[in-house]
Amino acid sequence: MVFSLNIILFLALYLSPGMKSSMVNLNNNGYDGIVIAINPSVTENEKLIQNIKEMVTEASVYLFHATKRRVYFRNVNILIPMTWKSKSEYLMPKQESYDQADVKVANPYLKYEEEPYTVQYGQCGEKGQYIHFTPDFFLSNNLSKYGPRGRLFVHLWAQLRWGVFKEYNVKQPFYISSKNTIEATRCSTSITGKNVVYQKCQGDTCTREPCRRDSKTGLYEPKCTFQPHKSQTARESIMFGPSIDSVTEFCTAKTHNTEAPNSQNKMCNRRSTWDVIMASDDFQKASPMTGRNLPPPPTFSLLRSKERVVCLVLDKSGSMNSEYRLIRMNQAAQIYLMQIIEKGSLAGMVIFDSFATIQNNLIKITDENSYQSIAANLPQEAKGGTSICNGLKTGFQVIRQSDQSTSGSEIILLTDGEDDKISSCFAEVKQSGAIIHTIALGPSAAKELETLSDMTGGHRFFAHKDVNGLIDAFSRISSRNGNITQQAIQLESKAFNITGRKQGIGTVPVDSTIGNDTFFVVTWTIQKPDILLQDPKGKKYTTSDFREDKLNVLSTHLRIPGIAETGTWTYSLHNNHENSQMLTVTMTSRARSPTTPPVTVNAHMSQNTARYPSPMVVYVRVSQGFLPVLGVNVTAVIETEDGHQVTLALWDNGAGADIVKNDGVYSRYFTHYHGNGRYSLKVHAQARKNTAKLSLRQQNNALYIPGYIDNGKITLNPPEPEVKDDMAEAEVDDFSRLTSGGSFTVTGAPPPGDNTHMFPPNKITDLEAKFKEDHIQLSWTAPGNVLDDGKAKSYIIRISKYLLDRQEDFDNTTLVNTSSLIPKEAGSIENFEFKQQLSKIENGTQFYIAIQAINEANLISEISNIAQAAKLISPQEHSVPALGTKISGIHLAILGLAVILSIF
């Protein structure tokens, strides 16, 4: 029997979010704790702060009316970078940081990046990551291009906070409706305007022509634009055109345009934006405010970032004796102090068992001597019990004794032990304002450990046995001030279990965006191996060039002099001992130039906690500056408490878990549960053989309005910076990046070995259809047997002449014979051609097609997007009628056109 498990996927959308830890809270209809952070590279300008305040103040009133008196902006923190001068009105931040900000103001890497946008790659109803503005957006007059800033902010906030999507489509600005009319992609259809092509413009005067039909698509030619009337009566929708004066509301179920080929319809199964917003957590507890008064204007706090303060709080209890844990902790901590923590940071150290001891008060990390003075005090003996609270309290003492505030300071807490009294200091931790990063070492670490990082906005990690897991965790704990050029970039992290007298080899590409402060570190468990490292020009570094540490942590390192050569580095490690031993390699570097951002990789899971059978999603964003990097080989390794590993190749193909193709976000479902407990995520991103490209186009920009029609006269806005198709991508060097995606916790999972199928194939979202003579050709990305893994057993394809037939009752539409269609592996492109039997094909004939996949357990996927195949006739005249006019007619020439459309 075939049945649907859509409810599983639905529930998965409402579990706790991963990675980004927003401090925003909704209390009594007002949003508190919004963080707007200015990047350190932005030039100091008082006008910038003033205009940010004006934008939010304007947005608060617009938001209040748009949500029918439900919510407004009450308290906002503006985070000022340390690069700006100190002022008496600037306060000390607590856990606010640039990296975790809700809104980021940063210079674009390239000139094409001017448009505001929301970074959003979750499913419908899931919160986004952050909103990005450039300083120029606030300092220039953009009123004509984007409308009032406050209105645009509400548009972007809806994406960030409530997980709705844009209702326009720059790539498909027009579509053929079920009424056989060409319509602009918009919501609602009550928005009026004209479709025109501009030929030549001199000053404010332009020659224009009516749009012509494209003979290949049956739609308007590519240069055709929809010009809305300045004076409108339509009130929807904010997700289409907040710059239109009359637009003050979101599309509701009554006004929503379900046919438009936009992201909202695709991602939210044709639900209106207002329906999605009303289903959000915010609106479950926000009733309309009574009375007629407006809410009070927002209050603003100006916070100035402080120098980084980090205290290591390290476990030296008796259990750290097992499995080389003490040695591995010391190896990883030393690498952190030597390679990862940024110069100029203040660092101290506490060690603890049943009691805690201050090993170092805060020291400014300026050179090798300063880091060695801390590393020299790493614990050499493990004994005693475990008191995590004593360790934390002593860490706070270290910070305060150096006249530093615990607010905004960081503690890196590493432990392998259980502690049933850890909750006794939760209140003190919360009150401190400190950020706690937790590293759970081994399966017995206190189960409440993650509560500390969750409540303070810190990272959470889990490491199993080899030292690489610890090194990866420490490497992820970099400064949160937004200055990426100062941060260490991890290039290699590999472990070799090498038998006696044998060797391990490897290669690491060093790209042109990095090369400063490059370190190569080798660790061992029995005896130091012979090391050979060679740069791209043939220069060799041998064991004698490496410095063995005096601290008995079984490691040696080499700092490459000057700037590391660009190209492929090779290395070999020879085990001279007669027995097998574990050898590890770590390589890090920093940005080559302060003006050129390096390629970076950021990884996280869709949730920090999951209860089986909820699917998880792995997300990895590869970027340079704020621009996406495409064509990268991204691999995720997920490890359980007992060492079981699952390797996933991640995709940026716009299918399965990946919602947008070629946006630099690589995604994949994770369903290979292996019991309960902690799981860790590690990601390796590689670009080899010149396959990677830098995309000069953002996928989620605010809608640029080219102009308006006012009393019959067209007023044009300044043109956008044009990115021609042949210049839309730039070359990227071969590179290698590694990062930790932290840890997540699973409950309710079956024991290892129980592989009961609980997940159907993923929903197909990119189905396309076109006519080829009297046949219809379909294409889509193959789903898997289990979501996007493996391959499905079969497909169900149905066709209808009427859109409503398909929407109301898919099972009652005509079934297509798919007996010859054998599903391919997930991620493959499927092509299928059939001859429809519904009716005679003539001018204006349209069919609507959808597909489902079935897996080996007879679980069925959600219904795909609707694909439309339209047989159109090319007109004899040079132009087409106005928007909404019938495109079929007896006066049209008989010339068939194949229209390729994916409706939603």
Side-chain angles (χ1 to χ4, degrees):
M1 178 180 178
V2 175
F3 59 97
S4 175
L5 291 183
N6 296 344
I7 188 65
I8 293 175
L9 300 179
F10 176 79
L11 289 172
L13 302 181
Y14 296 95
L15 295 177
S16 59
M19 194 194 78
K20 184 167 183 306
S21 180
S22 173
M23 302 180 71
V24 177
N25 286 308
L26 180 63
N27 299 305
N28 296 324
N29 300 95
Y31 283 115
D32 298 323
I34 300 164
V35 178
I36 301 176
I38 300 172
N39 190 276
S41 65
V42 174
T43 304
E44 186 169 357
N45 191 322
E46 283 292 330
K47 185 180 178 182
L48 180 60
I49 296 177
Q50 184 59 37
N51 288 351
I52 290 173
K53 291 181 178 180
E54 290 177 1
M55 177 191 74
V56 178
T57 302
E58 177 188 33
S60 184
V61 177
Y62 189 61
L63 177 69
F64 185 67
H65 289 306
T67 58
K68 300 175 175 56
R69 301 181 61 85
R70 282 176 171 82
V71 295
Y72 65 97
F73 298 124
R74 183 163 48 211
N75 295 310
V76 178
N77 298 310
I78 301 177
L79 188 62
I80 310 297
M82 277 189 65
T83 50
W84 290 26
K85 294 177 183 177
S86 179
K87 294 185 178 181
S88 59
E89 63 263 35
Y90 292 166
L91 305 175
M92 180 78 72
K94 292 185 177 180
Q95 292 156 350
E96 299 88 356
S97 68
Y98 178 88
D99 277 6
Q100 298 293 325
D102 306 289
V103 181
K104 299 182 181 182
V105 181
N107 293 311
Y109 174 37
L110 297 173
K111 64 181 180 180
Y112 310 106
E113 271 192 288
E114 296 292 345
E115 295 93 344
Y117 59 89
T118 299
V119 175
Q120 176 187 25
Y121 44 78
Q123 303 293 322
C124 181
E126 290 186 350
K127 292 180 174 63
Q129 300 300 306
Y130 62 87
I131 296 169
H132 177 264
F133 292 111
T134 64
D136 188 61
F137 173 80
F138 292 104
L139 300 175
S140 300
N141 183 5
N142 293 303
L143 181 64
S144 60
K145 292 173 65 176
Y146 303 112
R149 295 190 186 104
R151 285 170 161 249
L152 178 59
F153 185 51
V154 172
H155 169 95
L156 298 171
W157 179 263
Q159 294 176 277
L160 178 75
R161 186 69 184 178
W162 304 315
V164 297
F165 294 83
K166 59 189 181 183
E167 293 179 323
Y168 48 88
N169 189 337
V170 175
K171 293 183 178 179
Q172 194 174 335
F174 298 97
Y175 68 98
I176 298 171
S177 75
S178 58
K179 297 179 181 179
N180 237 1
T181 60
I182 297 179
E183 297 284 352
T185 302
R186 68 201 191 283
C187 190
S188 69
T189 54
S190 298
I191 294 174
T192 60
K194 290 186 178 180
N195 309 311
V196 296
V197 174
Y198 298 109
Q199 298 298 332
K200 295 180 181 178
C201 295
Q202 291 184 347
D204 294 334
T205 304
C206 296
T207 60
R208 58 188 175 90
E209 295 181 358
C211 297
R212 302 180 181 185
R213 279 249 302 281
D214 187 306
S215 61
K216 294 182 179 179
T217 66
L219 294 168
Y220 292 139
E221 58 193 308
K223 292 183 179 180
C224 180
T225 60
F226 173 64
Q227 301 286 343
H229 290 116
K230 186 70 174 175
S231 178
Q232 301 267 355
T233 59
R235 302 174 69 179
E236 305 92 358
S237 168
I238 291 171
M239 296 314 296
F240 172 76
S243 60
I244 299 172
D245 290 343
S246 65
V247 170
T248 57
E249 299 179 3
F250 295 96
C251 267
T252 64
K254 183 178 179 180
T255 59
H256 181 58
N257 179 6
T258 60
E259 296 186 21
N262 56 37
S263 297
Q264 176 64 23
N265 279 328
K266 174 186 174 182
M267 294 305 305
C268 298
N269 289 329
R270 297 169 278 110
R271 294 168 66 199
S272 72
T273 53
W274 185 244
D275 284 349
V276 176
I277 291 169
M278 286 298 292
S280 69
D281 291 341
D282 287 352
F283 283 66
Q284 297 302 304
K285 56 184 179 182
S287 300
M289 294 176 64
T290 58
R292 295 185 177 181
N293 294 333
L294 292 175
T299 60
F300 296 91
S301 300
L302 301 182
L303 315 176
R304 184 175 179 268
S305 299
K306 66 173 190 175
E307 60 186 342
R308 192 179 188 202
V309 177
V310 180
C311 184
L312 304 183
V313 178
L314 307 178
D315 188 350
K316 59 170 284 293
S317 60
S319 56
M320 292 291 289
N321 270 322
S322 63
E323 299 178 334
Y324 300 100
R325 287 178 184 171
L326 188 72
I327 291 176
R328 292 191 291 117
M329 178 184 74
N330 289 346
Q331 289 172 336
Q334 185 180 44
I335 288 174
Y336 180 75
L337 293 167
M338 178 174 62
Q339 300 173 239
I340 308 303
I341 193 169
E342 295 79 10
K343 297 294 187 291
S345 301
L346 295 173
M349 183 168 66
V350 168
I351 59 176
F352 71 93
D353 44 47
S354 299
F355 304 92
T357 304
I358 297 175
Q359 298 293 89
N360 291 87
N361 284 307
L362 295 181
I363 298 172
K364 180 165 283 191
I365 304 296
T366 56
D367 53 24
E368 188 168 332
N369 291 332
S370 53
Y371 105 75
Q372 285 282 8
S373 64
I374 301 176
N377 292 322
L378 287 166
Q380 300 300 305
E381 183 182 16
K383 62 180 182 179
T386 303
S387 177
I388 293 171
C389 283
N390 282 341
L392 290 173
K393 292 176 181 179
T394 309
F396 296 152
Q397 182 182 343
V398 166
I399 295 169
R400 292 176 180 131
Q401 284 181 176
S402 299
D403 295 325
Q404 294 291 325
S405 171
T406 54
S407 289
S409 296
E410 299 170 71
I411 284 181
I412 301 176
L413 171 63
L414 186 154
T415 182
D416 75 333
E418 297 181 2
D419 183 354
D420 58 5
K421 297 180 180 180
I422 185 173
S423 60
S424 66
C425 58
F426 282 176
E428 184 175 347
V429 167
K430 186 67 175 176
Q431 187 177 12
S432 74
I435 300 166
I436 314 294
H437 308 293
T438 59
I439 304 175
L441 178 56
S444 299
K447 301 306 179 185
E448 300 86 357
L449 201 59
E450 284 79 8
T451 305
L452 291 167
S453 50
D454 291 346
M455 73 165 60
T456 63
H459 294 301
R460 48 190 283 178
F461 303 96
F462 162 68
H464 180 52
K465 285 188 176 181
D466 66 77
V467 71
N468 289 82
L470 285 177
I471 294 172
D472 297 340
F474 273 108
S475 297
R476 175 70 185 271
I477 308 173
S478 56
S479 170
R480 297 181 165 197
N481 67 4
N483 193 343
I484 189 64
T485 60
Q486 292 183 352
Q487 296 176 10
I489 306 292
Q490 194 173 7
L491 312 182
E492 180 75 311
S493 175
K494 185 174 289 187
F496 298 89
N497 190 4
I498 301 179
T499 57
R501 316 300 184 190
K502 300 295 182 181
Q503 71 174 6
I505 60 175
T507 62
V508 185
V510 173
D511 59 279
S512 59
T513 68
I514 56 172
N516 257 323
D517 200 25
T518 304
F519 277 85
F520 194 90
V521 180
V522 176
T523 72
W524 58 91
T525 54
I526 301 176
Q527 180 182 2
K528 183 166 79 171
D530 282 339
I531 306 168
L532 177 62
L533 175 65
Q534 183 171 305
D535 76 10
K537 291 188 174 180
K539 179 178 176 60
K540 296 181 179 179
Y541 302 90
T542 61
T543 309
S544 60
D545 296 308
F546 283 70
R547 294 185 56 181
E548 186 168 350
D549 298 293
K550 303 174 183 179
L551 308 174
N552 191 32
V553 294
L554 307 182
S555 72
T556 185
H557 70 271
L558 170 68
R559 180 176 182 178
I560 307 300
I563 303 293
E565 293 287 347
T566 300
T568 300
W569 290 64
T570 62
Y571 63 86
S572 66
L573 309 177
H574 191 273
N575 179 14
N576 291 317
H577 199 272
E578 61 182 8
N579 295 326
S580 297
Q581 67 168 327
M582 184 68 71
L583 306 178
T584 74
V585 171
T586 302
M587 190 173 184
T588 63
S589 188
R590 299 184 198 269
R592 183 175 297 250
S593 165
T595 59
T596 303
V599 174
T600 58
V601 175
N602 195 293
H604 68 102
M605 300 297 295
S606 56
Q607 298 124 228
N608 284 335
T609 59
R611 180 167 181 81
Y612 185 84
S614 298
M616 301 276 280
V617 180
V618 186
Y619 292 118
V620 176
R621 190 167 190 234
V622 186
S623 59
Q624 184 177 10
F626 292 95
L627 292 175
V629 181
L630 314 180
V632 183
N633 181 0
V634 182
T635 304
V637 177
I638 297 173
E639 186 174 23
T640 64
E641 289 182 350
D642 62 2
H644 176 77
Q645 291 187 348
V646 174
T647 301
L648 295 173
L650 307 188
W651 300 330
D652 184 16
N653 62 353
D658 193 69
I659 69 170
V660 179
K661 183 177 182 179
N662 290 337
D663 65 346
V665 177
Y666 299 77
S667 316
R668 199 78 183 272
Y669 284 110
F670 171 71
T671 60
H672 295 273
Y673 293 109
H674 192 78
N676 296 322
R678 295 183 174 106
Y679 289 59
S680 67
L681 168 64
K682 177 178 178 177
V683 168
H684 191 190
Q686 299 180 85
R688 303 278 186 171
K689 299 180 181 179
N690 299 313
T691 58
K693 306 289 182 184
L694 183 67
S695 174
L696 304 185
R697 290 193 176 115
Q698 287 285 354
Q699 296 277 9
N700 212 21
N701 289 344
L703 179 63
Y704 164 81
I705 301 294
Y708 292 94
I709 301 173
D710 193 4
N711 293 324
K713 180 182 177 181
I714 293 181
T715 302
L716 290 179
N717 289 323
E720 284 186 296
E722 185 178 2
V723 183
K724 297 181 179 179
D725 288 341
D726 59 350
M727 298 176 60
E729 295 178 347
E731 298 288 336
V732 176
D733 293 343
D734 287 356
F735 65 83
S736 174
R737 299 288 188 271
L738 286 106
T739 190
S740 170
S743 66
F744 60 97
T745 306
V746 174
T747 60
D754 183 348
N755 298 316
T756 303
H757 289 296
M758 294 296 292
F759 304 102
N762 65 263
K763 175 184 174 180
I764 296 166
T765 58
D766 60 351
L767 178 65
E768 293 185 347
K770 67 178 180 180
F771 270 106
K772 183 181 179 182
E773 297 176 349
D774 60 346
H775 283 66
I776 295 176
Q777 292 181 329
L778 304 179
S779 65
W780 67 93
T781 302
N785 182 57
V786 178
L787 294 174
D788 57 8
D789 184 40
K791 62 181 177 180
K793 181 179 71 172
S794 61
Y795 291 114
I796 301 171
I797 299 176
R798 293 184 181 272
I799 184 171
S800 174
K801 290 184 64 178
Y802 306 102
L803 183 60
L804 288 179
D805 283 355
R806 156 50 188 84
Q807 292 177 348
E808 293 176 350
D809 192 354
F810 174 77
D811 291 335
N812 289 338
T813 56
T814 301
L815 190 65
V816 175
N817 185 346
T818 58
S819 58
S820 63
L821 179 57
I822 301 175
K824 297 179 181 178
E825 284 288 332
S828 304
I829 300 300
E830 299 271 28
N831 293 288
F832 181 65
E833 182 176 310
F834 66 95
K835 185 174 182 180
Q836 66 80 29
Q837 306 293 332
L838 286 181
S839 65
K840 179 182 178 181
I841 297 174
E842 54 189 5
N843 174 38
T845 296
Q846 295 187 71
F847 293 110
Y848 299 94
I849 302 130
I851 186 171
Q852 290 179 297
I854 304 174
N855 68 8
E856 295 293 340
N858 282 337
L859 303 181
I860 188 170
S861 72
E862 291 185 69
I863 299 169
S864 73
N865 63 296
I866 301 173
Q868 179 193 46
K871 192 75 166 182
L872 301 179
I873 309 300
S874 184
Q876 290 178 331
E877 60 267 28
H878 292 296
S879 63
V880 295
L883 185 70
T885 302
K886 290 281 186 176
I887 60 175
S888 60
I890 60 173
H891 58 281
L892 301 181
I894 306 300
L895 175 62
L897 299 177
V899 178
I900 305 175
L901 289 175
S902 178
I903 301 300
F904 43 78

